[in-house]
């Protein structure tokens, strides 16, 4: 009888392993709810006190110094008490735990212990946030949600682009009406160009004027020239385009003043000018100088014009999307001033800590560390800021170059005209001849 029971138990175990593996591969959410969550929750509950003690999260109700007779005895705190935490709550992507801080504790201590939670609970990552004073929320990710991001959906709205998927499983949307100006950084082959191609593909179907500034000879943005209202391929052309846009911006100010409104969005549809999105690829090329007087003058002009567009353009329907491999204070004070006006931030893998700090450091120090942890294999993965001031890891949807070019050509008839910009470039060509 014993061998029969043993064989039956082995057969049941083998069946469970095979079925469990099939469920894990084809229905990962079901596998997590049925198997992954109970095991991880058990680990979280039974390892909580040990992790708290080893990572200085527990405190003693007795002082570390005790007076015994006439002697002051010093030693380790006696009977450390772990912080109170809630039972792990399941989510489709992992689990969450609410922790009540001891008096005098800060969330920074828990940030340092995040790796300890990851290894003890055997999860992909643990995010530490503080939704309110005295509370820390631990969010454990069972697996990397960006390894195979689904094609999220979002409603099609003017100046809104579906870029990819967030690590929470939601849609990654760049809404220029909500956050008017963006800074995008990333090293070569990090996914920055893919993100720009995706953005152009999304905006190409809308009644929006796209202006490209690509001082690398137009190698990147030149592919979408059919849908661009203007394209500057040198810094001299960039100065002409930006100056014309500033004049156009002043005309929009006059129209708003005459109508008694504070924004072009308050104008009637017939009077409202077309929105303009200025795409700048490789911002460093606009600020670098070879030391000559002419080069310095052009760099200063670009800096001043970009800053004016960033400061005043949002209410007038002019938006900036500035991208670059490297953005640092060494490019001059103009870059720092411009960065302050670019509320939206996206940081892919970068080659130097200074660029990650420049992109995200003034908004959230934790996001800088997460951005620097992005590996070369995680192409398209980035840390992005949200309209609520928070941040998230995200991955842009892959848009092949030929598909993006085909979309730009398909909607080339929708390209609005910008007469002031066109005349500025034509005049510049005439001077060159």
């Amino acid at each position: 009888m014993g061998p029969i029971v043993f064989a039956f138990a082995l057969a049941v175990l083998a069946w469970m392993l095979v079925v469990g593996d099939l469920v894990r591969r084809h229905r990962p959410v079901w596998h997590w709810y049925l198997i992954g969550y109970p095991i991880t929750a058990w680990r979280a509950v039974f390892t909580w006190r040990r992790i708290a003690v080893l990572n200085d999260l527990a405190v003693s109700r007795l002082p570390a110094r005790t007076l015994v007779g006439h002697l002051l005895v010093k030693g380790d705190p006696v009977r450390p008490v772990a912080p109170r935490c809630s039972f792990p709550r399941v989510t489709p992507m992992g689990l969450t735990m609410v922790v009540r801080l001891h008096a005098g504790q800060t969330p920074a201590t828990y940030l340092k212990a995040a790796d300890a939670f990851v290894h003890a609970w055997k999860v992909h990552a643990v995010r530490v946030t503080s939704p309110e004073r005295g509370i820390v929320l631990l969010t454990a990710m069972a697996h990397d949600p960006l390894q195979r991001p689904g094609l999220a959906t979002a409603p099609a709205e003017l100046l809104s682009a579906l870029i990819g998927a967030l690590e929470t499983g939601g849609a990654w949307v760049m809404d220029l009406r909500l956050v008017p100006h963006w800074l995008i950084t990333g090293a070569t082959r990090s996914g920055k160009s893919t993100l720009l191609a995706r953005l152009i593909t999304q905006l190409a179907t809308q009644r929006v004027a796209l202006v490209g500034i690509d001082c690398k000879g137009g190698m990147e943005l030149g592919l979408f020239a059919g849908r661009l209202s203007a394209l500057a391929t040198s810094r001299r052309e960039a100065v002409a385009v930006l100056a014309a846009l500033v004049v156009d911006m002043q005309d929009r100010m006059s129209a708003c003043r005459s109508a008694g409104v504070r924004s072009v969005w308050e104008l009637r549809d017939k009077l409202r000018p077309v929105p303009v999105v200025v795409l700048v690829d490789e911002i460093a090329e606009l600020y670098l100088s070879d030391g000559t007087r002419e080069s310095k003058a052009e760099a200063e002009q670009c800096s001043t014009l970009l800053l004016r567009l960033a400061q005043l353009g949002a209410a007038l329907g002019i938006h900036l999307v500035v991208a670059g491999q490297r953005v640092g204070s060494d490019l001059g004070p103009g870059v720092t001033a411009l960065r302050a006006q670019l509320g939206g931030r996206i940081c892919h893998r970068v080659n130097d800590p200074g660029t990650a700090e420049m992109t995200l450091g003034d908004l959230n120090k934790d996001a800088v560390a997460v951005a620097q942890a992005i590996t070369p294999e995680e192409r398209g993965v980035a840390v992005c800021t949200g309209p609520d001031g928070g941040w998230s890891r995200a991955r842009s949807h892959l848009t092949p170059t030929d598909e993006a070019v085909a979309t730009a050509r398909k909607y080339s008839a929708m390209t609005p005209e910008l007469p002031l910009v066109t005349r500025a470039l034509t005049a510049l060509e005439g001077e060159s001849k």
Side-chain angles (χ1 to χ4, degrees):
M1 189 68 179
I4 296 177
V5 173
F6 181 71
F8 178 75
L10 287 178
V12 171
L13 179 62
W15 181 82
M16 291 179 63
L17 291 175
V18 172
V19 173
D21 184 64
L22 290 174
V23 173
R24 180 179 58 83
R25 285 185 295 172
H26 298 286
R27 293 290 186 272
V29 176
W30 292 7
H31 182 272
W32 166 247
Y33 278 119
L34 296 175
I35 300 175
Y37 166 68
I39 295 175
T40 307
W42 180 87
R43 290 194 189 112
V45 171
F46 284 94
T47 62
W48 175 250
R49 187 177 188 281
R50 181 178 293 273
I51 296 175
V53 171
L54 294 178
N55 292 273
D56 297 327
L57 303 179
V59 299
S60 175
R61 300 190 185 278
L62 299 177
R65 299 183 180 185
T66 306
L67 187 64
V68 180
H70 297 287
L71 297 176
L72 184 64
V73 179
K74 297 173 60 178
D76 294 332
V78 182
R79 295 183 60 81
V81 178
R84 291 174 54 191
C85 67
S86 66
F87 189 81
R89 181 180 178 182
V90 67
T91 67
M93 310 297 294
L95 55 83
T96 61
M97 293 175 64
V98 177
V99 182
R100 295 191 175 275
L101 302 179
H102 285 305
Q105 282 190 323
T106 64
T109 312
Y110 290 80
L111 286 171
K112 294 180 181 178
D115 285 341
F117 293 124
V118 169
H119 291 286
W121 300 347
K122 301 185 186 305
V123 293
H124 170 71
V126 173
R127 171 79 63 81
V128 180
T129 55
S130 180
E132 59 181 279
R133 295 180 185 276
I135 298 293
V136 160
L137 178 65
L138 302 180
T139 304
M141 298 288 181
H143 55 85
D144 187 0
L146 301 180
Q147 189 172 9
R148 294 179 180 178
L151 293 176
T153 59
E157 298 179 357
L158 183 64
L159 290 173
S160 180
L162 175 61
I163 300 301
L166 300 172
E167 66 176 354
T168 58
W172 181 15
V173 177
M174 183 184 293
D175 189 346
L176 297 177
R177 291 285 302 274
L178 194 60
V179 183
H181 308 306
W182 288 78
L183 173 63
I184 305 172
T185 57
T188 303
R189 302 183 67 82
S190 65
K192 175 171 57 65
S193 297
T194 301
L195 177 61
L196 286 176
R198 175 72 184 183
L199 176 61
I200 293 173
T201 302
Q202 289 284 292
L203 295 179
T205 62
Q206 305 177 23
R207 186 178 174 273
V208 175
L210 302 177
V211 176
I213 297 179
D214 182 0
C215 291
K216 294 185 297 184
M219 290 190 301
E220 295 288 346
L221 300 182
L223 298 173
F224 316 106
R227 183 57 183 83
L228 299 180
S229 298
L231 175 62
T233 59
S234 67
R235 187 162 58 185
R236 190 183 179 198
E237 292 181 352
V239 171
V241 168
L242 294 174
L245 287 174
V246 168
V247 175
D248 183 36
M249 182 175 66
Q250 293 170 344
D251 293 342
R252 296 179 182 218
M253 288 181 190
S254 300
C256 290
R257 186 170 59 251
S258 300
V261 298
R262 294 181 297 179
S263 166
V264 294
W265 306 110
E266 299 176 25
L267 294 172
R268 290 181 298 173
D269 292 345
K270 293 182 178 180
L271 299 178
R272 184 182 305 138
V274 64
V276 179
V277 179
V278 183
L279 304 162
V280 181
D281 190 33
E282 203 47 66
I283 183 65
E285 292 296 323
L286 297 181
Y287 285 84
L288 291 175
S289 171
D290 59 10
T292 62
R293 180 179 299 179
E294 182 181 1
S295 179
K296 289 181 179 179
E298 285 183 351
E300 290 178 1
Q301 284 181 292
C302 284
S303 176
T304 302
L305 294 170
L306 279 173
L307 187 57
R308 292 196 66 187
L309 291 174
Q311 289 177 333
L312 305 173
L316 301 170
I318 299 178
H319 307 270
L320 293 180
V321 178
V322 178
Q325 295 184 32
R326 184 181 63 84
V327 178
S329 57
D330 58 312
L331 296 178
V335 172
T336 305
L338 178 64
R339 188 271 305 260
Q341 301 295 328
L342 306 178
R345 310 287 177 81
I346 300 173
C347 184
H348 296 82
R349 176 183 59 83
V350 292
N351 293 326
D352 61 298
T355 298
E357 179 70 28
M358 190 75 169
T359 308
L360 302 168
D362 61 327
L363 300 180
N364 196 302
K365 294 293 182 182
D366 301 334
V368 176
V370 175
Q372 290 180 289
I374 299 175
T375 64
E377 290 73 26
E378 297 177 295
R379 294 188 62 185
V381 174
V383 174
C384 65
T385 57
D388 58 351
W391 60 272
S392 176
R393 290 177 78 245
R395 190 169 212 155
S396 57
H397 291 323
L398 177 61
T399 303
T401 302
D402 54 351
E403 178 182 332
V405 172
T407 302
R409 290 175 179 171
K410 179 180 178 180
Y411 294 96
S412 59
M414 293 180 58
T415 305
E417 293 186 3
L418 297 175
L420 291 176
V421 177
T422 303
R423 285 200 295 267
L425 288 176
T426 303
L428 194 63
E429 291 177 1
E431 293 178 3
S432 301
K433 295 179 181 178

